[in-house]
Amino acid sequence: MHAKTLAVVAALVLTAVPAPATAAPGFGWVSCPQPQAAKYHAECATLATGGVALALLRIPSTGTSQGPVLADSQEIDGYGGSQIDFFLRHGDNYLARLPQTHRTHDIVLADPRGLGGSTPVRCPTSAHDPALPELPTAPWDTARIAGHGSVVYLGCAAATGPLIARTGLAEQADDLEAVRIALGAPRLDFLGQATGAELAVVYAARHPARTGRIVLDTAIDPFLPASRRVLDVARAEETAFTRFAAWCTRTPECPLAGQDVPAVLDEVVTRGVPGLTGDEVRIAVGQFLLGYPVAWPGIAHALAAASEGDGSELAPFVALTYTEPDYTAAHVQTCADHPSTPGRLTGLAQRVHALAPHTGGISLHWDALMSCTGWPDGPSLAERLPGRLAPAAPILVTATEDDPINPSAWTADLGARIAGSHVLIAPVAGHGALDNAPCAADAIDTYLATGALPPDEKCRNGTGNPSRSPGREALSR
C-alpha cells in the first residue's frame, strides 16, 4: 500500500470513535491498600477495559461534589511511573494548587495501561545502557544503539505478550473514555501535564463530543514529529542554561560565582564523575534542575561538587530517570507513537548538539528517540492525527514562557490547531505553569472548578512563587 494511503488509513483509525466502552460489572470504590491514602480520604478501584485492568484512585471533594475531574498527579513524561504512588507521596503540593477543584469535584487518577498498578508491561532489559553514547557520532554508534533497542523490545514483547501492541496514546485515550463511562460523567474533565496533555489531545481527537473542561499544561505537542521536538528542546535547554549561568555569575552566594560556568559543565561532562557518565550529568542538569528555578542553587552546588570529583549531589536526579521502575516499560508507549529511524539518528544528533553545545541537547525527548531506535517502525502519532480538532468544549492550554523541557512554542501550535481553545502563557521560567506560576495555577483551578476561562492570554500577577514551586521534595519522585 502506498505510504500516503497508509497515513490516511492510520488517521481514520485514530480519529474514528469506537463503540462505547463498557465498565466492568464489579466496578466500585474500596479502601486503598496504601496507608498514605487515608490522609486524603482516598479510595481505590480497578476497572477492566480493553484487555487491561486500570488502577484508579479517587480523592473525594471537600464540599459538595459536582462530579469527577481526571488528572495527572504529575506529568507522565515517559518515566513518571505510577500516577497514584506519586500523588500519595506529594499530594499536599498538588492539591494546594487546586483548592477550588478539590472543594467542588472528586479528583480521579489512573495509572496508564502498562505502568504502575495497572496491567504491567514487563521488560527484563533496561532501555538505558550507560556504555552506549547518547549522541551517536559514527555509523557504528547507531548500529550499537539499534542493536540494544532491538534486544530491549524483543524482551518486552516476550515478557508482556499481546499488550505490547496496545499501549499507545490511542488505547490510553480509550481507557479515559472507559473511566468516564464507569464514573457516570457526561463529559471528560481532565488536567493533563506533559505526556498527560498529549494524551488529552488524542482523547479530543477520538472522542470530541465527550470533551469537557480540559487543561493542557506544559504540553508535549503530538502534531510535531519527534525530530522537530528534540531540536526545539535542545534550543530551549541551552537558553535556560545560559540564563542559569548568568544568574550564578552575578550571585555571590552561588559557589561558582566569578567562574566560567559553561566551562565548568563542559569539564565535568568531558571527564565524568565517579558513577556517572558525562551524558548522565547532562540529563540531570538539563531536564531535572534547569526546569525548576527554585532548584538553581542546587545545580550550582551539585556542579561545584562534581567539578571536585563528587557526583553524589547529581546522582539522585539521574536516578529519577534511569532507575525509575517504569522507565523502560514507558518506552513501549513512546516508541509506538514516536518511532525512530536509525538512518537519520547521527545527522539529527549533530544538529541537536550544535544547538546545545553545553547541555548537549540530551533531553528526555532525545533519550526516548534514541532508545526507540531498533524498535518496530510505523506511522507516527503526528501522521495519524487530523490537522485540526473541534472538541465540544473549550480547551485551556497553559505554559510558562521559558520552559526548557516542553517549549512554549508547542503551546502556540496546539492553540492554533484546536478550535475554540484558549492559550495562557505565564511570563516566568520553569517547567509547567501549574508548578511555577501561581497566576496560571489559579486560572487552571478556576476553569476546572467553574468553567470560567481566564480573560487574557498572559498572566498579570507577577512571577512564580518559590513557596508553591515543587522544590527538592517534589523533584525526588
Side-chain angles (χ1 to χ4, degrees), residues 151-342:
V151 169
V152 173
Y153 170 76
L154 291 173
C156 294
T160 301
L163 177 60
I164 197 76
R166 302 196 305 272
T167 59
L169 291 182
E171 290 82 7
Q172 291 186 27
D174 292 346
D175 289 343
L176 288 182
E177 175 66 356
V179 174
R180 180 194 68 79
I181 292 170
L183 297 177
R187 289 186 178 178
L188 181 77
D189 295 343
F190 183 71
L191 167 58
Q193 296 176 271
T195 300
E198 187 180 26
L199 169 61
V201 173
V202 178
Y203 179 89
R206 291 180 70 79
H207 306 279
R210 297 300 184 183
T211 302
R213 301 169 189 168
I214 286 183
V215 177
L216 314 178
D217 183 42
T218 186
I220 294 174
D221 188 345
F223 294 101
L224 301 180
S227 57
R228 162 72 184 277
R229 288 200 306 275
V230 297
L231 293 170
D232 288 347
V233 172
R235 187 182 296 108
E237 188 179 73
E238 189 75 5
T239 299
F241 179 72
T242 300
R243 190 177 296 111
F244 159 75
W247 165 84
C248 188
T249 298
R250 67 174 184 264
T251 304
E253 294 78 18
C254 177
L256 297 175
Q259 300 185 46
D260 185 336
V261 178
V264 172
L265 176 61
D266 292 346
E267 181 186 0
V268 172
V269 167
T270 299
R271 60 180 172 79
V273 292
L276 298 178
T277 67
D279 289 342
E280 289 174 336
V281 168
R282 277 174 160 160
I283 204 164
V285 170
Q287 292 295 281
F288 287 105
L289 297 178
L290 285 178
Y292 300 94
V294 71
W296 282 11
I299 305 178
H301 283 280
L303 274 181
S307 69
E308 300 295 328
D310 178 7
S312 61
E313 292 189 42
L314 287 176
F317 296 101
V318 176
L320 288 174
T321 296
Y322 299 126
T323 61
E324 179 71 45
D326 285 328
Y327 165 73
T328 302
H331 282 72
V332 178
Q333 174 267 307
T334 302
C335 298
D337 291 328
H338 307 295
S340 175
T341 305

Side-chain angles (χ1 to χ4, degrees), residues 417-456:
R417 293 178 185 271
I418 302 172
S421 64
H422 185 98
V423 173
L424 179 68
I425 304 291
V428 299
H431 179 44
L434 184 70
D435 285 338
N436 290 286
C439 59
D442 291 344
I444 291 169
D445 187 30
T446 298
Y447 182 54
L448 291 173
T450 71
L453 288 163
D456 300 314

